[in-house]
PDB file of all heavy atoms in Angstrom:
ATOM      1  N   ARG L 298     -19.552 -16.124 -23.555  1.00  0.00           N
ATOM      2  CA  ARG L 298     -18.763 -16.829 -22.550  1.00  0.00           C
ATOM      3  C   ARG L 298     -17.424 -17.200 -23.191  1.00  0.00           C
ATOM      4  O   ARG L 298     -17.375 -17.409 -24.399  1.00  0.00           O
ATOM      5  CB  ARG L 298     -19.526 -18.057 -22.072  1.00  0.00           C
ATOM      6  CG  ARG L 298     -20.795 -17.690 -21.323  1.00  0.00           C
ATOM      7  CD  ARG L 298     -21.446 -18.919 -20.717  1.00  0.00           C
ATOM      8  NE  ARG L 298     -22.445 -18.532 -19.705  1.00  0.00           N
ATOM      9  CZ  ARG L 298     -23.726 -18.275 -19.948  1.00  0.00           C
ATOM     10  NH1 ARG L 298     -24.188 -18.343 -21.187  1.00  0.00           N
ATOM     11  NH2 ARG L 298     -24.538 -17.944 -18.972  1.00  0.00           N
ATOM     12  N   PRO L 299     -16.333 -17.322 -22.422  1.00  0.00           N
ATOM     13  CA  PRO L 299     -16.268 -17.197 -20.976  1.00  0.00           C
ATOM     14  C   PRO L 299     -16.425 -15.746 -20.516  1.00  0.00           C
ATOM     15  O   PRO L 299     -15.864 -14.836 -21.128  1.00  0.00           O
ATOM     16  CB  PRO L 299     -14.873 -17.725 -20.630  1.00  0.00           C
ATOM     17  CG  PRO L 299     -14.064 -17.415 -21.843  1.00  0.00           C
ATOM     18  CD  PRO L 299     -15.000 -17.590 -23.001  1.00  0.00           C
ATOM     19  N   LEU L 300     -17.155 -15.565 -19.430  1.00  0.00           N
ATOM     20  CA  LEU L 300     -17.394 -14.236 -18.894  1.00  0.00           C
ATOM     21  C   LEU L 300     -16.275 -13.855 -17.924  1.00  0.00           C
ATOM     22  O   LEU L 300     -15.571 -14.716 -17.412  1.00  0.00           O
ATOM     23  CB  LEU L 300     -18.740 -14.240 -18.163  1.00  0.00           C
ATOM     24  CG  LEU L 300     -19.950 -14.490 -19.073  1.00  0.00           C
ATOM     25  CD1 LEU L 300     -21.173 -14.868 -18.250  1.00  0.00           C
ATOM     26  CD2 LEU L 300     -20.227 -13.268 -19.940  1.00  0.00           C
ATOM     27  N   PRO L 301     -16.127 -12.560 -17.676  1.00  0.00           N
ATOM     28  CA  PRO L 301     -15.151 -12.139 -16.673  1.00  0.00           C
ATOM     29  C   PRO L 301     -15.512 -12.730 -15.307  1.00  0.00           C
ATOM     30  O   PRO L 301     -16.689 -12.986 -15.034  1.00  0.00           O
ATOM     31  CB  PRO L 301     -15.293 -10.614 -16.644  1.00  0.00           C
ATOM     32  CG  PRO L 301     -16.343 -10.248 -17.605  1.00  0.00           C
ATOM     33  CD  PRO L 301     -16.833 -11.461 -18.304  1.00  0.00           C
ATOM     34  N   GLN L 302     -14.500 -12.930 -14.504  1.00  0.00           N
ATOM     35  CA  GLN L 302     -14.772 -13.429 -13.157  1.00  0.00           C
ATOM     36  C   GLN L 302     -14.163 -12.512 -12.121  1.00  0.00           C
ATOM     37  O   GLN L 302     -13.058 -12.010 -12.275  1.00  0.00           O
ATOM     38  CB  GLN L 302     -14.188 -14.838 -13.010  1.00  0.00           C
ATOM     39  CG  GLN L 302     -15.271 -15.898 -13.163  1.00  0.00           C
ATOM     40  CD  GLN L 302     -14.712 -17.297 -13.007  1.00  0.00           C
ATOM     41  OE1 GLN L 302     -14.133 -17.644 -11.992  1.00  0.00           O
ATOM     42  NE2 GLN L 302     -14.868 -18.099 -14.042  1.00  0.00           N
ATOM     43  N   GLN L 303     -14.907 -12.337 -11.048  1.00  0.00           N
ATOM     44  CA  GLN L 303     -14.457 -11.452  -9.981  1.00  0.00           C
ATOM     45  C   GLN L 303     -13.694 -12.228  -8.911  1.00  0.00           C
ATOM     46  O   GLN L 303     -14.112 -13.311  -8.509  1.00  0.00           O
ATOM     47  CB  GLN L 303     -15.676 -10.762  -9.346  1.00  0.00           C
ATOM     48  CG  GLN L 303     -15.321  -9.860  -8.171  1.00  0.00           C
ATOM     49  CD  GLN L 303     -16.546  -9.236  -7.522  1.00  0.00           C
ATOM     50  OE1 GLN L 303     -17.304  -8.515  -8.155  1.00  0.00           O
ATOM     51  NE2 GLN L 303     -16.740  -9.523  -6.245  1.00  0.00           N
ATOM     52  N   TYR L 304     -12.573 -11.669  -8.473  1.00  0.00           N
ATOM     53  CA  TYR L 304     -11.797 -12.247  -7.374  1.00  0.00           C
ATOM     54  C   TYR L 304     -11.528 -11.148  -6.368  1.00  0.00           C
ATOM     55  O   TYR L 304     -11.399  -9.983  -6.732  1.00  0.00           O
ATOM     56  CB  TYR L 304     -10.466 -12.806  -7.885  1.00  0.00           C
ATOM     57  CG  TYR L 304     -10.654 -13.832  -8.969  1.00  0.00           C
ATOM     58  CD1 TYR L 304     -10.671 -13.453 -10.313  1.00  0.00           C
ATOM     59  CD2 TYR L 304     -10.832 -15.169  -8.658  1.00  0.00           C
ATOM     60  CE1 TYR L 304     -10.868 -14.395 -11.321  1.00  0.00           C
ATOM     61  CE2 TYR L 304     -11.025 -16.122  -9.660  1.00  0.00           C
ATOM     62  CZ  TYR L 304     -11.047 -15.722 -10.980  1.00  0.00           C
ATOM     63  OH  TYR L 304     -11.241 -16.654 -11.964  1.00  0.00           O
ATOM     64  N   GLU L 305     -11.438 -11.527  -5.101  1.00  0.00           N
ATOM     65  CA  GLU L 305     -11.270 -10.516  -4.065  1.00  0.00           C
ATOM     66  C   GLU L 305     -10.017 -10.742  -3.239  1.00  0.00           C
ATOM     67  O   GLU L 305      -9.631 -11.871  -2.971  1.00  0.00           O
ATOM     68  CB  GLU L 305     -12.483 -10.524  -3.119  1.00  0.00           C
ATOM     69  CG  GLU L 305     -13.822 -10.436  -3.835  1.00  0.00           C
ATOM     70  CD  GLU L 305     -14.352 -11.798  -4.259  1.00  0.00           C
ATOM     71  OE1 GLU L 305     -13.798 -12.819  -3.820  1.00  0.00           O
ATOM     72  OE2 GLU L 305     -15.323 -11.847  -5.048  1.00  0.00           O
ATOM     73  N   PHE L 306      -9.389  -9.644  -2.841  1.00  0.00           N
ATOM     74  CA  PHE L 306      -8.224  -9.725  -1.954  1.00  0.00           C
ATOM     75  C   PHE L 306      -8.396  -8.702  -0.831  1.00  0.00           C
ATOM     76  O   PHE L 306      -9.242  -7.807  -0.922  1.00  0.00           O
ATOM     77  CB  PHE L 306      -6.926  -9.453  -2.726  1.00  0.00           C
ATOM     78  CG  PHE L 306      -6.782  -8.014  -3.183  1.00  0.00           C
ATOM     79  CD1 PHE L 306      -6.027  -7.105  -2.440  1.00  0.00           C
ATOM     80  CD2 PHE L 306      -7.408  -7.573  -4.333  1.00  0.00           C
ATOM     81  CE1 PHE L 306      -5.908  -5.776  -2.847  1.00  0.00           C
ATOM     82  CE2 PHE L 306      -7.289  -6.245  -4.746  1.00  0.00           C
ATOM     83  CZ  PHE L 306      -6.537  -5.351  -4.000  1.00  0.00           C
TER      84      PHE L 306
END
Side-chain angles (χ1 to χ4, degrees):
Chain L
R298 294 187 165 89
L300 295 164
Q302 260 181 58
Q303 177 182 300
Y304 303 91
E305 308 87 11
F306 69 97

